[in-house]
Amino acid sequence: MLKEKIRYGLYVILIILLAIYLFPKKDVQAVNIIDGIENFPESYQPYLEELKKNHPNWTFTALYTNLDWDYVIQNENIFGKNLVPKSYHDRWKNTKPGEYNVEVDAGWVDCSKQALLYTMDPRNFLNEVRIFQFEELSFNSSSNSVDGIEKILYGTEFYNQIVSYLTSSGSTVTMNKKYSDLIYNAGIQSKVSSYHLASRIKQEVGPFLSHSSISGKVAGYEGLYNFYNIGATSSSEPMGAIINGLKYARDGKGASEATKTKYLIPWNTKERAITGGGIFIGSSYINIGQNTIYLQKFHVHDINNGELFWHQYMTNVLAPYSESNIIYKGYANSNLLDLNINFVIPVYNNMPEIQEESPAINPSDYVEDNTKVYANVETTLNVRSGPSTSYEKITSVSKNETMTRIAKGKQSGELWDRVILKNGIVGYVFQNYVEELPEIEVEEIKVSVDNPVIQKNEISKLNIEIYPKEAEDQRVEYISSNEKIVKVDSNGNLYGVSSGKAMITVRAISNGVQASIDIEVYSKVTGIEVNVEMITLQEGEQYQILANIEPDDANNKVVQYVSENMNVATVNDAGIITGIQTGNTNIQVFSEEDEDINQSIQVQVIEKIAEEDLSFSENIQVNGNEMTGIEEENRTVEKLLENIFVSEKYQVQIVDKVGNLLQNQDLVGTGSKVQIYTNTDSKTLVAEYGIIIYGDVDGNGKINSVDLLKLQRHILEIEELDFLSQKAGNINKNGKKPTSVDLLLIQRHILGLKQIVQ
């Protein structure tokens, strides 16, 4: 029973260690934020260019989240995280048994995966209206201005107005600043868009300076101001919400001193109220990277590299869609669409080529299509985000302009088709105004590449020509005859995987016309591993070098050997070193392909010791100055010495890896040394053998979980092992660096499944 418990404990330790090795801690989110349409993926650019054409003052920032699209959807597609009204069609709702129509909130149920795929794909909302879910809510000096704030305040009593306010004693203070100045400075200090602050003020207190929240005249709360109605919770008492807001303006409703200092409480001047309230607004979401409505709904960006997908302001999956319309109308009704507005738009890795349909669109109303059509109109044809004039216009196409219909409508009533324009925009057009083009088929494909020989890990691009050039369906597929040698993606990019040859075929999807090209992958030498760093040989003694070219699939694996002093030691083409006479030299090992890739082995040649003066039992293997084959029963100093025979000319001692003399009952381990001395007063060291116990990485003569951990840390490049310890970790004895396979072999030894043979 005790043995089983020990074995189980070792097994648990192993599982933990392998988990650390195989499942390292996930890296923090590495975000890249770049301004300019040209820095977006190609599938975004045509939509943004269309917006830029109509609104030259708008700017766009790409937020590369470094998150995989499927990973994002998986983490948002959790029951209760994203909701839709229960009254919606089932395409909007999670229909899993036990979760279907379960009310997470009154009248609200969990949404479907399709709803997430639609609402989270920014490309679905790059039109004049829905783009406002990406409006930057943090302060941006290049887009925010006092003039822009005045335009927002136009039509209110704040417009172009000098600020004055009442103190708690009833006296009037007149500033030399306008409301637009205070709002602009509040944006700077709070790091919140001053346009957003101005709009919030209009929304919360309306157009009049006499509003009770900012009049400074409410009895008992004289000289207090709350421009954003922060803390103005509802109450059944008269003016209850306003009173609650002014209580917050007075003391933060009992907030700590640190909180009051942070938010500039009390708000006993209009400047403190506008700025402190702005700081309050920015602190919860905007200033931690969630600086758009989209990012407040979908927590896919966090400047503090915190855990994602939990800090979400809304559960309604369509909230950004709905609120963007409200914001757009506010700008449009105030004639403010020509302001300098910046939009921060997320980009994910591995997004689908074509964005998901809205669940509001019934797939049974369409049939898949791939037909070239043209606009049969007198002037232009509108392209919309959905199959109705109630959907937003994305762009328009000119008379006779061609496009590809990807879904043909078969609805009742008005018929709409889904199309892709030449620039990549996906949208809907009224079917009555499109006509099919006669199809011209592919007749020939020509394929070439700048160099048919590519290096391993190199990316190269195929050159494709399709004839006739007027062929309607020019879609092709790329096929590699051996993806273990060459991979090819859907864009014709070649990737060298390993050395060898493979055929790449380019085939027309429409009719199977194809062409092929042979590609060779050349794997260059990157390094050489040798099984020894230094060696001591007796005169006439030989040692075989094990040299491995890296990587394993290198095309040229030829290794060459050179002795710097052939009078001391020679080396042949097979890597066998022969000691000639006493002295020291170096053996150079280098790649035939690249002589700059080399290793050096130090060789010491000592006088020949006669066999009758020094020999070893058959239990011990000696190769050069390395000693192996020491099984567990011979691992004490006393037992090992019984296997070493010396004449009275010599004496033997064994030291540990740091040079301390070991006693009879001490264990020898990897790195311990057997030293042969002359049996004279001078006691000269004539030979020394480094001990290797396979599996004993830490050098204590035992094989246990500590060795497993140290070897794992070496493989992960956390802790470097010395040369003998590395060799002890190479259970395969193939002269290569230890790998996870060696870890497994040590584990099997520890668990008693298969013993390591020394």
Side-chain angles (χ1 to χ4, degrees):
M1 178 64 76
L2 178 59
K3 184 177 181 181
E4 291 300 319
K5 286 183 178 179
I6 294 172
R7 178 174 294 183
Y8 177 77
L10 292 171
Y11 180 76
V12 170
I13 292 171
L14 176 72
I15 293 297
I16 294 171
L17 293 173
L18 290 181
I20 295 171
Y21 172 56
L22 297 173
F23 303 101
K25 183 179 178 182
K26 184 183 174 186
D27 290 338
V28 296
Q29 186 183 16
V31 177
N32 197 13
I33 302 173
I34 317 175
D35 294 329
I37 294 174
E38 70 279 4
N39 292 311
F40 280 85
E42 289 184 3
S43 60
Y44 283 66
Q45 291 183 21
Y47 300 93
L48 300 177
E49 287 166 354
E50 186 68 22
L51 289 168
K52 187 73 172 179
K53 181 172 67 178
N54 296 320
H55 300 284
N57 292 330
W58 288 7
T59 54
F60 306 94
T61 297
L63 172 63
Y64 282 86
T65 63
N66 197 36
L67 298 174
D68 185 82
W69 175 247
D70 290 339
Y71 173 76
V72 170
I73 297 302
Q74 176 186 347
N75 278 274
E76 288 288 351
N77 191 27
I78 295 173
F79 182 81
K81 183 172 283 191
N82 294 282
L83 309 180
V84 291
K86 189 175 182 179
S87 59
Y88 273 29
H89 191 279
D90 280 357
R91 287 189 296 274
W92 286 98
K93 297 186 288 187
N94 174 2
T95 56
K96 293 178 184 176
E99 297 177 356
Y100 174 59
N101 274 344
V102 174
E103 293 192 16
V104 179
D105 202 353
W108 293 82
V109 299
D110 193 48
C111 78
S112 64
K113 183 178 180 180
Q114 183 188 356
L116 279 171
L117 290 168
Y118 168 67
T119 55
M120 291 200 70
D121 194 329
R123 297 170 298 179
N124 280 317
F125 311 108
L126 302 182
N127 58 67
E128 187 179 63
V129 177
R130 308 302 171 180
I131 186 74
F132 280 92
Q133 64 187 277
F134 308 113
E135 180 189 8
E136 184 178 30
L137 301 182
S138 53
F139 185 82
N140 187 329
S141 59
S142 64
S143 58
N144 285 202
S145 69
V146 171
D147 288 343
I149 297 170
E150 288 289 3
K151 289 179 181 178
I152 294 174
L153 298 179
Y154 183 78
T156 73
E157 292 181 356
F158 301 94
Y159 175 70
N160 203 29
Q161 179 67 42
I162 294 292
V163 178
S164 64
Y165 61 91
L166 294 173
T167 66
S168 58
S169 63
S171 59
T172 300
V173 176
T174 300
M175 304 180 68
N176 60 352
K177 297 178 181 179
K178 297 179 181 180
Y179 284 95
S180 56
D181 296 320
L182 297 190
I183 295 171
Y184 183 79
N185 290 330
I188 294 174
Q189 294 188 52
S190 66
K191 300 179 183 179
V192 176
S193 165
S194 54
Y195 292 174
H196 180 60
L197 296 179
S199 299
R200 284 284 291 266
I201 290 171
K202 281 179 63 176
Q203 177 183 334
E204 294 295 339
V205 300
F208 304 114
L209 290 169
S210 58
H211 190 283
S212 297
S213 292
I214 59 171
S215 69
K217 298 178 180 179
V218 175
Y221 301 93
E222 290 87 352
L224 292 172
Y225 305 90
N226 192 333
F227 280 80
Y228 309 102
N229 280 331
I230 295 168
T233 53
S234 300
S235 171
S236 58
E237 299 178 5
M239 294 181 63
I242 290 172
I243 295 296
N244 283 334
L246 292 175
K247 286 180 179 179
Y248 193 91
R250 181 181 61 195
D251 61 5
K253 289 187 177 179
S256 67
E257 288 303 317
T259 299
K260 288 190 284 187
T261 299
K262 178 180 179 180
Y263 298 140
L264 307 182
I265 295 171
W267 294 337
N268 52 11
T269 73
K270 289 187 175 180
E271 186 168 19
R272 289 175 69 91
I274 290 173
T275 302
I279 295 170
F280 179 94
I281 290 169
S283 63
S284 297
Y285 285 90
I286 296 172
N287 292 338
I288 61 170
Q290 293 177 263
N291 59 341
T292 69
I293 292 173
Y294 178 97
L295 293 175
Q296 291 177 14
K297 171 64 193 90
F298 301 116
H299 184 202
V300 296
H301 178 223
D302 191 314
I303 63 174
N304 297 321
N305 286 317
E307 184 180 351
L308 300 176
F309 308 113
W310 68 272
H311 190 240
Q312 304 196 156
Y313 182 59
M314 301 156 277
T315 54
N316 178 4
V317 77
L318 279 167
Y321 178 89
S322 302
E323 293 196 20
S324 60
N325 186 40
I326 296 171
I327 297 170
Y328 165 78
K329 287 180 178 178
Y331 277 104
N333 292 340
S334 301
N335 294 317
L336 298 176
L337 290 175
D338 289 329
L339 283 176
N340 296 330
I341 304 174
N342 188 55
F343 300 93
V344 180
I345 306 167
V347 178
Y348 303 100
N349 298 336
N350 303 313
M351 296 181 73
E353 187 176 346
I354 298 177
Q355 51 267 41
E356 181 69 36
E357 290 265 44
S358 166
I361 299 171
N362 188 350
S364 65
D365 286 342
Y366 295 87
V367 59
E368 269 191 44
D369 197 17
N370 184 37
T371 304
K372 290 289 184 181
V373 296
Y374 66 93
N376 185 15
V377 291
E378 289 301 318
T379 54
T380 59
L381 174 63
N382 288 333
V383 181
R384 297 187 176 275
S385 60
S388 164
T389 54
S390 63
Y391 284 91
E392 294 81 23
K393 173 185 169 182
I394 302 173
T395 186
S396 61
V397 294
S398 304
K399 178 181 179 180
N400 295 330
E401 188 171 337
T402 60
M403 61 202 93
T404 301
R405 181 169 61 198
I406 57 175
K408 186 175 183 179
K410 57 187 184 74
Q411 311 94 326
S412 57
E414 288 186 349
L415 294 174
W416 290 77
D417 294 338
R418 196 180 193 204
V419 297
I420 297 180
L421 307 188
K422 287 182 178 179
N423 62 5
I425 285 179
V426 179
Y428 291 83
V429 294
F430 192 36
Q431 193 179 99
N432 286 9
Y433 297 133
V434 296
E435 294 289 341
E436 295 184 8
L437 283 169
E439 186 170 356
I440 301 174
E441 290 196 338
V442 175
E443 297 176 5
E444 181 185 10
I445 297 175
K446 290 184 178 180
V447 57
S448 63
V449 66
D450 292 342
N451 188 345
V453 178
I454 63 175
Q455 300 293 335
K456 179 181 177 180
N457 297 327
E458 179 187 354
I459 296 176
S460 185
K461 175 77 172 178
L462 288 175
N463 305 313
I464 305 297
E465 295 179 85
I466 296 176
Y467 298 95
K469 293 185 177 180
E470 296 76 23
E472 299 300 334
D473 188 351
Q474 298 200 3
R475 294 177 302 150
V476 296
E477 59 181 343
Y478 299 90
I479 304 164
S480 171
S481 64
N482 191 339
E483 290 196 341
K484 292 182 179 179
I485 294 174
V486 183
K487 287 186 177 181
V488 59
D489 67 16
S490 59
N491 295 314
N493 294 308
L494 302 171
Y495 181 76
V497 179
S498 63
S499 62
K501 293 183 179 180
M503 178 183 290
I504 305 299
T505 300
V506 184
R507 179 184 299 156
I509 292 176
S510 61
N511 59 7
V513 172
Q514 65 183 44
S516 299
I517 187 171
D518 290 325
I519 300 295
E520 180 181 354
V521 177
Y522 190 89
S523 181
K524 294 193 295 187
V525 175
T526 59
I528 295 179
E529 284 184 352
V530 292
N531 66 323
V532 67
E533 287 181 327
M534 59 178 61
I535 183 171
T536 300
L537 297 175
Q538 299 178 39
E539 293 174 340
E541 190 176 9
Q542 292 186 325
Y543 180 83
Q544 171 73 62
I545 301 172
L546 295 180
N548 295 300
I549 289 289
E550 296 177 323
D552 289 340
D553 67 339
N555 285 69
N556 188 344
K557 292 191 173 183
V558 177
V559 177
Q560 296 182 340
Y561 307 90
V562 172
S563 171
E564 292 182 357
N565 189 340
M566 297 180 65
N567 292 324
V568 174
T570 61
V571 61
N572 65 14
D573 292 343
I576 298 175
I577 305 172
T578 302
I580 303 301
Q581 67 179 25
T582 58
N584 295 282
T585 187
N586 291 317
I587 301 296
Q588 298 296 331
V589 185
F590 58 90
S591 162
E592 181 184 66
E593 179 179 291
D594 185 351
E595 292 186 4
D596 289 336
I597 298 175
N598 56 70
Q599 294 281 5
S600 181
I601 300 171
Q602 299 175 33
V603 178
Q604 179 187 27
V605 178
I606 61 176
E607 290 184 3
K608 174 72 175 176
I609 301 175
E611 187 173 344
E612 61 268 20
D613 290 329
L614 173 63
S615 62
F616 304 93
S617 74
E618 61 183 11
N619 296 325
I620 305 299
Q621 290 129 36
V622 175
N623 188 8
N625 56 345
E626 293 176 357
M627 183 177 289
T628 59
I630 305 171
E631 297 293 350
E632 189 172 0
E633 63 271 15
N634 291 323
R635 233 166 266 169
T636 64
V637 170
E638 183 179 31
K639 287 291 184 181
L640 181 56
L641 289 175
E642 291 176 2
N643 290 274
I644 302 172
F645 309 102
V646 295
S647 69
E648 60 185 17
K649 294 180 182 179
Y650 300 99
Q651 58 178 282
V652 183
Q653 69 177 27
I654 301 176
V655 297
D656 64 16
K657 64 193 311 180
V658 294
N660 297 317
L661 184 65
L662 296 176
Q663 303 303 316
N664 278 346
Q665 298 308 312
D666 291 335
L667 288 178
V668 298
T670 297
S672 296
K673 294 180 178 64
V674 175
Q675 298 177 332
I676 311 297
Y677 287 91
T678 55
N679 197 10
T680 63
D681 293 339
S682 60
K683 196 179 179 183
T684 303
L685 179 67
V686 296
E688 185 176 70
Y689 303 94
I691 292 174
I692 298 172
I693 308 292
Y694 291 103
D696 173 31
V697 177
D698 68 344
N700 67 356
K702 302 175 183 178
I703 303 172
N704 53 33
S705 58
V706 176
D707 299 296
L708 198 65
L709 177 60
K710 289 184 75 69
L711 186 60
Q712 182 239 345
R713 289 174 61 83
H714 173 77
I715 292 171
L716 294 177
E717 298 183 356
I718 297 172
E719 176 184 344
E720 182 72 17
L721 294 176
D722 62 55
F723 199 76
L724 288 180
S725 294
Q726 288 187 48
K727 298 188 78 168
N730 179 215
I731 313 302
N732 276 316
K733 304 172 188 170
N734 58 7
K736 296 186 178 182
K737 294 177 181 177
T739 67
S740 57
V741 174
D742 297 299
L743 278 175
L744 181 61
L745 292 174
I746 295 177
Q747 174 240 338
R748 290 171 65 84
H749 175 94
I750 294 171
L751 296 178
L753 300 177
K754 184 178 181 181
Q755 295 299 298
I756 295 173
V757 177
Q758 296 298 324

